[in-house]
Amino acid sequence: MREKFTALSIPVEEAFFLQPFRERHISTPAAKKPPHVTVYSPFKEMEVMNEQALQELTDLFASFKQFTYTLKSTGRFADIGVLYLLVEPAESFQALSSALQEKYPELQPYLTDPILHVTLARVKDLDNVENKFYLEFGNQLPIQAYAKEVCLYEKHDNVWCKRNNFPLSSR
């Protein structure tokens, strides 16, 4: 895996209250990144993100309207020990991902048809952690969320840092 790369993600401000749980149950650098839905990863390295490249992203994301979505149920990637909240509906996220793939066909995302989600935990004992999650937060589901921007994050030296944000259209 590359030591240094970027990702385009939508922060889920409405789920920031889950951050302490995530930090307890995710041992990778992703734990320090606030709850988010990744739209495209990996993206271009920061070294090539000049003003023109940033303006292209600004224009691209401004062509999409802000949208609502819901996090209401958990899911699992059992083979890698990940517990997540499923994003519903996923169509607006998929449209963003498709537009990025069309604009940057030279880039290859890790997954071409990902299950869009907010990671809650990365552990071996998924049953136990899922039970803890529902005991602690089950009464706060579903979470109604609003996507208003896409953020460019860079992972460097095992730390994720937000580098730019690109508003979605409010019209």
Side-chain angles (χ1 to χ4, degrees), residues 77-103:
F77 300 126
D79 55 328
I80 57 172
V82 169
L83 178 70
Y84 61 83
L85 283 171
L86 185 62
V87 172
E88 298 176 26
E91 287 78 13
S92 294
F93 293 96
Q94 290 165 336
L96 288 166
S97 295
S98 293
L100 286 161
Q101 184 64 50
E102 187 174 309
K103 177 117 180 121

mmCIF file with all atom_site columns, all heavy atoms in Angstrom, residues 77-103:
data_model
loop_
_atom_site.group_PDB
_atom_site.id
_atom_site.type_symbol
_atom_site.label_atom_id
_atom_site.label_alt_id
_atom_site.label_comp_id
_atom_site.label_asym_id
_atom_site.label_entity_id
_atom_site.label_seq_id
_atom_site.pdbx_PDB_ins_code
_atom_site.Cartn_x
_atom_site.Cartn_y
_atom_site.Cartn_z
_atom_site.occupancy
_atom_site.B_iso_or_equiv
_atom_site.pdbx_formal_charge
_atom_site.auth_seq_id
_atom_site.auth_comp_id
_atom_site.auth_asym_id
_atom_site.auth_atom_id
_atom_site.pdbx_PDB_model_num
ATOM 1   N N   . PHE A 1 77  ? -18.095 -6.258  6.537   1.00 0.00 ? 77  PHE A N   1
ATOM 2   C CA  . PHE A 1 77  ? -17.157 -6.879  5.612   1.00 0.00 ? 77  PHE A CA  1
ATOM 3   C C   . PHE A 1 77  ? -16.434 -7.899  6.480   1.00 0.00 ? 77  PHE A C   1
ATOM 4   O O   . PHE A 1 77  ? -15.382 -7.621  7.056   1.00 0.00 ? 77  PHE A O   1
ATOM 5   C CB  . PHE A 1 77  ? -16.170 -5.863  5.031   1.00 0.00 ? 77  PHE A CB  1
ATOM 6   C CG  . PHE A 1 77  ? -16.816 -4.741  4.261   1.00 0.00 ? 77  PHE A CG  1
ATOM 7   C CD1 . PHE A 1 77  ? -16.548 -3.419  4.570   1.00 0.00 ? 77  PHE A CD1 1
ATOM 8   C CD2 . PHE A 1 77  ? -17.692 -5.004  3.212   1.00 0.00 ? 77  PHE A CD2 1
ATOM 9   C CE1 . PHE A 1 77  ? -17.123 -2.381  3.852   1.00 0.00 ? 77  PHE A CE1 1
ATOM 10  C CE2 . PHE A 1 77  ? -18.276 -3.976  2.496   1.00 0.00 ? 77  PHE A CE2 1
ATOM 11  C CZ  . PHE A 1 77  ? -17.994 -2.657  2.813   1.00 0.00 ? 77  PHE A CZ  1
ATOM 12  N N   . ALA A 1 78  ? -17.050 -9.075  6.634   1.00 0.00 ? 78  ALA A N   1
ATOM 13  C CA  . ALA A 1 78  ? -16.561 -10.070 7.592   1.00 0.00 ? 78  ALA A CA  1
ATOM 14  C C   . ALA A 1 78  ? -15.140 -10.540 7.293   1.00 0.00 ? 78  ALA A C   1
ATOM 15  O O   . ALA A 1 78  ? -14.364 -10.805 8.217   1.00 0.00 ? 78  ALA A O   1
ATOM 16  C CB  . ALA A 1 78  ? -17.515 -11.265 7.623   1.00 0.00 ? 78  ALA A CB  1
ATOM 17  N N   . ASP A 1 79  ? -14.787 -10.590 6.002   1.00 0.00 ? 79  ASP A N   1
ATOM 18  C CA  . ASP A 1 79  ? -13.465 -11.097 5.639   1.00 0.00 ? 79  ASP A CA  1
ATOM 19  C C   . ASP A 1 79  ? -12.332 -10.195 6.134   1.00 0.00 ? 79  ASP A C   1
ATOM 20  O O   . ASP A 1 79  ? -11.215 -10.664 6.353   1.00 0.00 ? 79  ASP A O   1
ATOM 21  C CB  . ASP A 1 79  ? -13.361 -11.308 4.130   1.00 0.00 ? 79  ASP A CB  1
ATOM 22  C CG  . ASP A 1 79  ? -13.687 -10.061 3.329   1.00 0.00 ? 79  ASP A CG  1
ATOM 23  O OD1 . ASP A 1 79  ? -14.527 -9.251  3.777   1.00 0.00 ? 79  ASP A OD1 1
ATOM 24  O OD2 . ASP A 1 79  ? -13.106 -9.905  2.239   1.00 0.00 ? 79  ASP A OD2 1
ATOM 25  N N   . ILE A 1 80  ? -12.611 -8.908  6.331   1.00 0.00 ? 80  ILE A N   1
ATOM 26  C CA  . ILE A 1 80  ? -11.576 -8.003  6.846   1.00 0.00 ? 80  ILE A CA  1
ATOM 27  C C   . ILE A 1 80  ? -11.933 -7.427  8.210   1.00 0.00 ? 80  ILE A C   1
ATOM 28  O O   . ILE A 1 80  ? -11.246 -6.544  8.730   1.00 0.00 ? 80  ILE A O   1
ATOM 29  C CB  . ILE A 1 80  ? -11.244 -6.866  5.842   1.00 0.00 ? 80  ILE A CB  1
ATOM 30  C CG1 . ILE A 1 80  ? -12.500 -6.061  5.497   1.00 0.00 ? 80  ILE A CG1 1
ATOM 31  C CG2 . ILE A 1 80  ? -10.568 -7.429  4.613   1.00 0.00 ? 80  ILE A CG2 1
ATOM 32  C CD1 . ILE A 1 80  ? -12.212 -4.816  4.662   1.00 0.00 ? 80  ILE A CD1 1
ATOM 33  N N   . GLY A 1 81  ? -13.029 -7.920  8.813   1.00 0.00 ? 81  GLY A N   1
ATOM 34  C CA  . GLY A 1 81  ? -13.390 -7.520  10.169  1.00 0.00 ? 81  GLY A CA  1
ATOM 35  C C   . GLY A 1 81  ? -13.869 -6.088  10.303  1.00 0.00 ? 81  GLY A C   1
ATOM 36  O O   . GLY A 1 81  ? -13.532 -5.408  11.273  1.00 0.00 ? 81  GLY A O   1
ATOM 37  N N   . VAL A 1 82  ? -14.682 -5.618  9.345   1.00 0.00 ? 82  VAL A N   1
ATOM 38  C CA  . VAL A 1 82  ? -15.174 -4.246  9.387   1.00 0.00 ? 82  VAL A CA  1
ATOM 39  C C   . VAL A 1 82  ? -16.676 -4.230  9.653   1.00 0.00 ? 82  VAL A C   1
ATOM 40  O O   . VAL A 1 82  ? -17.443 -4.924  8.994   1.00 0.00 ? 82  VAL A O   1
ATOM 41  C CB  . VAL A 1 82  ? -14.859 -3.504  8.066   1.00 0.00 ? 82  VAL A CB  1
ATOM 42  C CG1 . VAL A 1 82  ? -15.587 -2.165  7.990   1.00 0.00 ? 82  VAL A CG1 1
ATOM 43  C CG2 . VAL A 1 82  ? -13.362 -3.292  7.927   1.00 0.00 ? 82  VAL A CG2 1
ATOM 44  N N   . LEU A 1 83  ? -17.055 -3.396  10.628  1.00 0.00 ? 83  LEU A N   1
ATOM 45  C CA  . LEU A 1 83  ? -18.454 -3.108  10.929  1.00 0.00 ? 83  LEU A CA  1
ATOM 46  C C   . LEU A 1 83  ? -18.721 -1.699  10.430  1.00 0.00 ? 83  LEU A C   1
ATOM 47  O O   . LEU A 1 83  ? -17.904 -0.795  10.656  1.00 0.00 ? 83  LEU A O   1
ATOM 48  C CB  . LEU A 1 83  ? -18.698 -3.195  12.440  1.00 0.00 ? 83  LEU A CB  1
ATOM 49  C CG  . LEU A 1 83  ? -20.114 -2.859  12.912  1.00 0.00 ? 83  LEU A CG  1
ATOM 50  C CD1 . LEU A 1 83  ? -21.101 -3.950  12.481  1.00 0.00 ? 83  LEU A CD1 1
ATOM 51  C CD2 . LEU A 1 83  ? -20.132 -2.692  14.435  1.00 0.00 ? 83  LEU A CD2 1
ATOM 52  N N   . TYR A 1 84  ? -19.842 -1.496  9.755   1.00 0.00 ? 84  TYR A N   1
ATOM 53  C CA  . TYR A 1 84  ? -20.127 -0.177  9.194   1.00 0.00 ? 84  TYR A CA  1
ATOM 54  C C   . TYR A 1 84  ? -21.604 0.150   9.272   1.00 0.00 ? 84  TYR A C   1
ATOM 55  O O   . TYR A 1 84  ? -22.444 -0.723  9.507   1.00 0.00 ? 84  TYR A O   1
ATOM 56  C CB  . TYR A 1 84  ? -19.643 -0.096  7.739   1.00 0.00 ? 84  TYR A CB  1
ATOM 57  C CG  . TYR A 1 84  ? -20.299 -1.081  6.792   1.00 0.00 ? 84  TYR A CG  1
ATOM 58  C CD1 . TYR A 1 84  ? -21.542 -0.822  6.216   1.00 0.00 ? 84  TYR A CD1 1
ATOM 59  C CD2 . TYR A 1 84  ? -19.672 -2.279  6.467   1.00 0.00 ? 84  TYR A CD2 1
ATOM 60  C CE1 . TYR A 1 84  ? -22.135 -1.730  5.345   1.00 0.00 ? 84  TYR A CE1 1
ATOM 61  C CE2 . TYR A 1 84  ? -20.254 -3.183  5.589   1.00 0.00 ? 84  TYR A CE2 1
ATOM 62  C CZ  . TYR A 1 84  ? -21.491 -2.897  5.038   1.00 0.00 ? 84  TYR A CZ  1
ATOM 63  O OH  . TYR A 1 84  ? -22.079 -3.791  4.177   1.00 0.00 ? 84  TYR A OH  1
ATOM 64  N N   . LEU A 1 85  ? -21.906 1.436   9.041   1.00 0.00 ? 85  LEU A N   1
ATOM 65  C CA  . LEU A 1 85  ? -23.278 1.896   8.844   1.00 0.00 ? 85  LEU A CA  1
ATOM 66  C C   . LEU A 1 85  ? -23.483 2.068   7.345   1.00 0.00 ? 85  LEU A C   1
ATOM 67  O O   . LEU A 1 85  ? -22.672 2.716   6.664   1.00 0.00 ? 85  LEU A O   1
ATOM 68  C CB  . LEU A 1 85  ? -23.521 3.234   9.547   1.00 0.00 ? 85  LEU A CB  1
ATOM 69  C CG  . LEU A 1 85  ? -23.700 3.173   11.053  1.00 0.00 ? 85  LEU A CG  1
ATOM 70  C CD1 . LEU A 1 85  ? -23.722 4.580   11.649  1.00 0.00 ? 85  LEU A CD1 1
ATOM 71  C CD2 . LEU A 1 85  ? -24.988 2.426   11.406  1.00 0.00 ? 85  LEU A CD2 1
ATOM 72  N N   . LEU A 1 86  ? -24.542 1.485   6.843   1.00 0.00 ? 86  LEU A N   1
ATOM 73  C CA  . LEU A 1 86  ? -24.857 1.522   5.424   1.00 0.00 ? 86  LEU A CA  1
ATOM 74  C C   . LEU A 1 86  ? -25.487 2.866   5.063   1.00 0.00 ? 86  LEU A C   1
ATOM 75  O O   . LEU A 1 86  ? -26.336 3.378   5.795   1.00 0.00 ? 86  LEU A O   1
ATOM 76  C CB  . LEU A 1 86  ? -25.829 0.390   5.092   1.00 0.00 ? 86  LEU A CB  1
ATOM 77  C CG  . LEU A 1 86  ? -26.193 0.166   3.640   1.00 0.00 ? 86  LEU A CG  1
ATOM 78  C CD1 . LEU A 1 86  ? -24.955 -0.195  2.824   1.00 0.00 ? 86  LEU A CD1 1
ATOM 79  C CD2 . LEU A 1 86  ? -27.232 -0.934  3.537   1.00 0.00 ? 86  LEU A CD2 1
ATOM 80  N N   . VAL A 1 87  ? -25.074 3.428   3.932   1.00 0.00 ? 87  VAL A N   1
ATOM 81  C CA  . VAL A 1 87  ? -25.612 4.681   3.418   1.00 0.00 ? 87  VAL A CA  1
ATOM 82  C C   . VAL A 1 87  ? -26.809 4.372   2.525   1.00 0.00 ? 87  VAL A C   1
ATOM 83  O O   . VAL A 1 87  ? -26.707 3.551   1.619   1.00 0.00 ? 87  VAL A O   1
ATOM 84  C CB  . VAL A 1 87  ? -24.526 5.424   2.603   1.00 0.00 ? 87  VAL A CB  1
ATOM 85  C CG1 . VAL A 1 87  ? -25.104 6.626   1.896   1.00 0.00 ? 87  VAL A CG1 1
ATOM 86  C CG2 . VAL A 1 87  ? -23.368 5.820   3.488   1.00 0.00 ? 87  VAL A CG2 1
ATOM 87  N N   . GLU A 1 88  ? -27.937 5.047   2.800   1.00 0.00 ? 88  GLU A N   1
ATOM 88  C CA  . GLU A 1 88  ? -29.141 4.860   1.988   1.00 0.00 ? 88  GLU A CA  1
ATOM 89  C C   . GLU A 1 88  ? -29.798 6.211   1.725   1.00 0.00 ? 88  GLU A C   1
ATOM 90  O O   . GLU A 1 88  ? -29.935 6.985   2.664   1.00 0.00 ? 88  GLU A O   1
ATOM 91  C CB  . GLU A 1 88  ? -30.133 3.954   2.707   1.00 0.00 ? 88  GLU A CB  1
ATOM 92  C CG  . GLU A 1 88  ? -29.609 2.557   2.978   1.00 0.00 ? 88  GLU A CG  1
ATOM 93  C CD  . GLU A 1 88  ? -30.599 1.733   3.790   1.00 0.00 ? 88  GLU A CD  1
ATOM 94  O OE1 . GLU A 1 88  ? -31.812 2.009   3.725   1.00 0.00 ? 88  GLU A OE1 1
ATOM 95  O OE2 . GLU A 1 88  ? -30.147 0.830   4.488   1.00 0.00 ? 88  GLU A OE2 1
ATOM 96  N N   . PRO A 1 89  ? -30.208 6.518   0.540   1.00 0.00 ? 89  PRO A N   1
ATOM 97  C CA  . PRO A 1 89  ? -29.897 5.823   -0.701  1.00 0.00 ? 89  PRO A CA  1
ATOM 98  C C   . PRO A 1 89  ? -28.470 6.146   -1.134  1.00 0.00 ? 89  PRO A C   1
ATOM 99  O O   . PRO A 1 89  ? -27.909 7.176   -0.746  1.00 0.00 ? 89  PRO A O   1
ATOM 100 C CB  . PRO A 1 89  ? -30.912 6.388   -1.692  1.00 0.00 ? 89  PRO A CB  1
ATOM 101 C CG  . PRO A 1 89  ? -31.200 7.756   -1.189  1.00 0.00 ? 89  PRO A CG  1
ATOM 102 C CD  . PRO A 1 89  ? -31.073 7.674   0.310   1.00 0.00 ? 89  PRO A CD  1
ATOM 103 N N   . ALA A 1 90  ? -27.907 5.301   -1.948  1.00 0.00 ? 90  ALA A N   1
ATOM 104 C CA  . ALA A 1 90  ? -26.508 5.446   -2.361  1.00 0.00 ? 90  ALA A CA  1
ATOM 105 C C   . ALA A 1 90  ? -26.353 6.153   -3.707  1.00 0.00 ? 90  ALA A C   1
ATOM 106 O O   . ALA A 1 90  ? -25.235 6.491   -4.099  1.00 0.00 ? 90  ALA A O   1
ATOM 107 C CB  . ALA A 1 90  ? -25.856 4.069   -2.433  1.00 0.00 ? 90  ALA A CB  1
ATOM 108 N N   . GLU A 1 91  ? -27.439 6.416   -4.406  1.00 0.00 ? 91  GLU A N   1
ATOM 109 C CA  . GLU A 1 91  ? -27.359 6.914   -5.786  1.00 0.00 ? 91  GLU A CA  1
ATOM 110 C C   . GLU A 1 91  ? -26.578 8.221   -5.925  1.00 0.00 ? 91  GLU A C   1
ATOM 111 O O   . GLU A 1 91  ? -25.800 8.385   -6.879  1.00 0.00 ? 91  GLU A O   1
ATOM 112 C CB  . GLU A 1 91  ? -28.771 7.087   -6.386  1.00 0.00 ? 91  GLU A CB  1
ATOM 113 C CG  . GLU A 1 91  ? -29.449 5.791   -6.727  1.00 0.00 ? 91  GLU A CG  1
ATOM 114 C CD  . GLU A 1 91  ? -30.048 5.069   -5.507  1.00 0.00 ? 91  GLU A CD  1
ATOM 115 O OE1 . GLU A 1 91  ? -30.156 5.681   -4.421  1.00 0.00 ? 91  GLU A OE1 1
ATOM 116 O OE2 . GLU A 1 91  ? -30.384 3.886   -5.640  1.00 0.00 ? 91  GLU A OE2 1
ATOM 117 N N   . SER A 1 92  ? -26.761 9.166   -5.027  1.00 0.00 ? 92  SER A N   1
ATOM 118 C CA  . SER A 1 92  ? -26.049 10.450  -5.145  1.00 0.00 ? 92  SER A CA  1
ATOM 119 C C   . SER A 1 92  ? -24.546 10.260  -4.970  1.00 0.00 ? 92  SER A C   1
ATOM 120 O O   . SER A 1 92  ? -23.747 10.894  -5.673  1.00 0.00 ? 92  SER A O   1
ATOM 121 C CB  . SER A 1 92  ? -26.589 11.454  -4.126  1.00 0.00 ? 92  SER A CB  1
ATOM 122 O OG  . SER A 1 92  ? -27.926 11.775  -4.431  1.00 0.00 ? 92  SER A OG  1
ATOM 123 N N   . PHE A 1 93  ? -24.157 9.390   -4.047  1.00 0.00 ? 93  PHE A N   1
ATOM 124 C CA  . PHE A 1 93  ? -22.733 9.082   -3.872  1.00 0.00 ? 93  PHE A CA  1
ATOM 125 C C   . PHE A 1 93  ? -22.173 8.393   -5.117  1.00 0.00 ? 93  PHE A C   1
ATOM 126 O O   . PHE A 1 93  ? -21.077 8.692   -5.569  1.00 0.00 ? 93  PHE A O   1
ATOM 127 C CB  . PHE A 1 93  ? -22.521 8.171   -2.654  1.00 0.00 ? 93  PHE A CB  1
ATOM 128 C CG  . PHE A 1 93  ? -22.833 8.830   -1.342  1.00 0.00 ? 93  PHE A CG  1
ATOM 129 C CD1 . PHE A 1 93  ? -24.065 8.670   -0.747  1.00 0.00 ? 93  PHE A CD1 1
ATOM 130 C CD2 . PHE A 1 93  ? -21.883 9.614   -0.702  1.00 0.00 ? 93  PHE A CD2 1
ATOM 131 C CE1 . PHE A 1 93  ? -24.351 9.267   0.464   1.00 0.00 ? 93  PHE A CE1 1
ATOM 132 C CE2 . PHE A 1 93  ? -22.156 10.219  0.517   1.00 0.00 ? 93  PHE A CE2 1
ATOM 133 C CZ  . PHE A 1 93  ? -23.395 10.048  1.104   1.00 0.00 ? 93  PHE A CZ  1
ATOM 134 N N   . GLN A 1 94  ? -22.952 7.467   -5.649  1.00 0.00 ? 94  GLN A N   1
ATOM 135 C CA  . GLN A 1 94  ? -22.520 6.748   -6.847  1.00 0.00 ? 94  GLN A CA  1
ATOM 136 C C   . GLN A 1 94  ? -22.382 7.689   -8.040  1.00 0.00 ? 94  GLN A C   1
ATOM 137 O O   . GLN A 1 94  ? -21.466 7.537   -8.844  1.00 0.00 ? 94  GLN A O   1
ATOM 138 C CB  . GLN A 1 94  ? -23.503 5.611   -7.158  1.00 0.00 ? 94  GLN A CB  1
ATOM 139 C CG  . GLN A 1 94  ? -23.425 4.497   -6.146  1.00 0.00 ? 94  GLN A CG  1
ATOM 140 C CD  . GLN A 1 94  ? -24.610 3.545   -6.202  1.00 0.00 ? 94  GLN A CD  1
ATOM 141 O OE1 . GLN A 1 94  ? -25.697 3.913   -6.656  1.00 0.00 ? 94  GLN A OE1 1
ATOM 142 N NE2 . GLN A 1 94  ? -24.401 2.324   -5.716  1.00 0.00 ? 94  GLN A NE2 1
ATOM 143 N N   . ALA A 1 95  ? -23.261 8.687   -8.137  1.00 0.00 ? 95  ALA A N   1
ATOM 144 C CA  . ALA A 1 95  ? -23.175 9.662   -9.223  1.00 0.00 ? 95  ALA A CA  1
ATOM 145 C C   . ALA A 1 95  ? -21.877 10.468  -9.114  1.00 0.00 ? 95  ALA A C   1
ATOM 146 O O   . ALA A 1 95  ? -21.216 10.733  -10.126 1.00 0.00 ? 95  ALA A O   1
ATOM 147 C CB  . ALA A 1 95  ? -24.385 10.589  -9.212  1.00 0.00 ? 95  ALA A CB  1
ATOM 148 N N   . LEU A 1 96  ? -21.507 10.842  -7.898  1.00 0.00 ? 96  LEU A N   1
ATOM 149 C CA  . LEU A 1 96  ? -20.238 11.555  -7.691  1.00 0.00 ? 96  LEU A CA  1
ATOM 150 C C   . LEU A 1 96  ? -19.058 10.679  -8.096  1.00 0.00 ? 96  LEU A C   1
ATOM 151 O O   . LEU A 1 96  ? -18.145 11.129  -8.799  1.00 0.00 ? 96  LEU A O   1
ATOM 152 C CB  . LEU A 1 96  ? -20.107 11.988  -6.228  1.00 0.00 ? 96  LEU A CB  1
ATOM 153 C CG  . LEU A 1 96  ? -21.011 13.129  -5.774  1.00 0.00 ? 96  LEU A CG  1
ATOM 154 C CD1 . LEU A 1 96  ? -21.026 13.222  -4.254  1.00 0.00 ? 96  LEU A CD1 1
ATOM 155 C CD2 . LEU A 1 96  ? -20.580 14.446  -6.388  1.00 0.00 ? 96  LEU A CD2 1
ATOM 156 N N   . SER A 1 97  ? -19.072 9.437   -7.650  1.00 0.00 ? 97  SER A N   1
ATOM 157 C CA  . SER A 1 97  ? -17.990 8.502   -7.998  1.00 0.00 ? 97  SER A CA  1
ATOM 158 C C   . SER A 1 97  ? -17.888 8.303   -9.508  1.00 0.00 ? 97  SER A C   1
ATOM 159 O O   . SER A 1 97  ? -16.790 8.311   -10.072 1.00 0.00 ? 97  SER A O   1
ATOM 160 C CB  . SER A 1 97  ? -18.208 7.147   -7.323  1.00 0.00 ? 97  SER A CB  1
ATOM 161 O OG  . SER A 1 97  ? -18.125 7.262   -5.931  1.00 0.00 ? 97  SER A OG  1
ATOM 162 N N   . SER A 1 98  ? -19.028 8.149   -10.157 1.00 0.00 ? 98  SER A N   1
ATOM 163 C CA  . SER A 1 98  ? -19.040 7.950   -11.613 1.00 0.00 ? 98  SER A CA  1
ATOM 164 C C   . SER A 1 98  ? -18.506 9.177   -12.343 1.00 0.00 ? 98  SER A C   1
ATOM 165 O O   . SER A 1 98  ? -17.761 9.049   -13.326 1.00 0.00 ? 98  SER A O   1
ATOM 166 C CB  . SER A 1 98  ? -20.458 7.642   -12.092 1.00 0.00 ? 98  SER A CB  1
ATOM 167 O OG  . SER A 1 98  ? -20.876 6.392   -11.596 1.00 0.00 ? 98  SER A OG  1
ATOM 168 N N   . ALA A 1 99  ? -18.875 10.358  -11.873 1.00 0.00 ? 99  ALA A N   1
ATOM 169 C CA  . ALA A 1 99  ? -18.390 11.590  -12.511 1.00 0.00 ? 99  ALA A CA  1
ATOM 170 C C   . ALA A 1 99  ? -16.877 11.713  -12.369 1.00 0.00 ? 99  ALA A C   1
ATOM 171 O O   . ALA A 1 99  ? -16.192 12.149  -13.306 1.00 0.00 ? 99  ALA A O   1
ATOM 172 C CB  . ALA A 1 99  ? -19.086 12.799  -11.893 1.00 0.00 ? 99  ALA A CB  1
ATOM 173 N N   . LEU A 1 100 ? -16.357 11.322  -11.218 1.00 0.00 ? 100 LEU A N   1
ATOM 174 C CA  . LEU A 1 100 ? -14.903 11.353  -11.025 1.00 0.00 ? 100 LEU A CA  1
ATOM 175 C C   . LEU A 1 100 ? -14.208 10.348  -11.939 1.00 0.00 ? 100 LEU A C   1
ATOM 176 O O   . LEU A 1 100 ? -13.185 10.657  -12.544 1.00 0.00 ? 100 LEU A O   1
ATOM 177 C CB  . LEU A 1 100 ? -14.560 11.078  -9.561  1.00 0.00 ? 100 LEU A CB  1
ATOM 178 C CG  . LEU A 1 100 ? -14.847 12.230  -8.609  1.00 0.00 ? 100 LEU A CG  1
ATOM 179 C CD1 . LEU A 1 100 ? -14.934 11.738  -7.173  1.00 0.00 ? 100 LEU A CD1 1
ATOM 180 C CD2 . LEU A 1 100 ? -13.782 13.312  -8.753  1.00 0.00 ? 100 LEU A CD2 1
ATOM 181 N N   . GLN A 1 101 ? -14.764 9.155   -12.051 1.00 0.00 ? 101 GLN A N   1
ATOM 182 C CA  . GLN A 1 101 ? -14.170 8.140   -12.928 1.00 0.00 ? 101 GLN A CA  1
ATOM 183 C C   . GLN A 1 101 ? -14.199 8.590   -14.379 1.00 0.00 ? 101 GLN A C   1
ATOM 184 O O   . GLN A 1 101 ? -13.235 8.390   -15.119 1.00 0.00 ? 101 GLN A O   1
ATOM 185 C CB  . GLN A 1 101 ? -14.894 6.799   -12.760 1.00 0.00 ? 101 GLN A CB  1
ATOM 186 C CG  . GLN A 1 101 ? -14.268 5.685   -13.568 1.00 0.00 ? 101 GLN A CG  1
ATOM 187 C CD  . GLN A 1 101 ? -12.853 5.355   -13.128 1.00 0.00 ? 101 GLN A CD  1
ATOM 188 O OE1 . GLN A 1 101 ? -12.588 5.159   -11.959 1.00 0.00 ? 101 GLN A OE1 1
ATOM 189 N NE2 . GLN A 1 101 ? -11.929 5.302   -14.080 1.00 0.00 ? 101 GLN A NE2 1
ATOM 190 N N   . GLU A 1 102 ? -15.286 9.245   -14.772 1.00 0.00 ? 102 GLU A N   1
ATOM 191 C CA  . GLU A 1 102 ? -15.394 9.728   -16.145 1.00 0.00 ? 102 GLU A CA  1
ATOM 192 C C   . GLU A 1 102 ? -14.395 10.862  -16.411 1.00 0.00 ? 102 GLU A C   1
ATOM 193 O O   . GLU A 1 102 ? -13.763 10.916  -17.462 1.00 0.00 ? 102 GLU A O   1
ATOM 194 C CB  . GLU A 1 102 ? -16.819 10.219  -16.396 1.00 0.00 ? 102 GLU A CB  1
ATOM 195 C CG  . GLU A 1 102 ? -17.091 10.588  -17.829 1.00 0.00 ? 102 GLU A CG  1
ATOM 196 C CD  . GLU A 1 102 ? -18.556 10.936  -18.038 1.00 0.00 ? 102 GLU A CD  1
ATOM 197 O OE1 . GLU A 1 102 ? -19.430 10.146  -17.631 1.00 0.00 ? 102 GLU A OE1 1
ATOM 198 O OE2 . GLU A 1 102 ? -18.811 12.007  -18.630 1.00 0.00 ? 102 GLU A OE2 1
ATOM 199 N N   . LYS A 1 103 ? -14.244 11.754  -15.444 1.00 0.00 ? 103 LYS A N   1
ATOM 200 C CA  . LYS A 1 103 ? -13.336 12.898  -15.601 1.00 0.00 ? 103 LYS A CA  1
ATOM 201 C C   . LYS A 1 103 ? -11.869 12.471  -15.544 1.00 0.00 ? 103 LYS A C   1
ATOM 202 O O   . LYS A 1 103 ? -11.022 13.063  -16.205 1.00 0.00 ? 103 LYS A O   1
ATOM 203 C CB  . LYS A 1 103 ? -13.614 13.928  -14.511 1.00 0.00 ? 103 LYS A CB  1
ATOM 204 C CG  . LYS A 1 103 ? -12.702 15.123  -14.517 1.00 0.00 ? 103 LYS A CG  1
ATOM 205 C CD  . LYS A 1 103 ? -13.466 16.364  -14.786 1.00 0.00 ? 103 LYS A CD  1
ATOM 206 C CE  . LYS A 1 103 ? -12.565 17.564  -14.797 1.00 0.00 ? 103 LYS A CE  1
ATOM 207 N NZ  . LYS A 1 103 ? -12.609 18.251  -16.070 1.00 0.00 ? 103 LYS A NZ  1
#
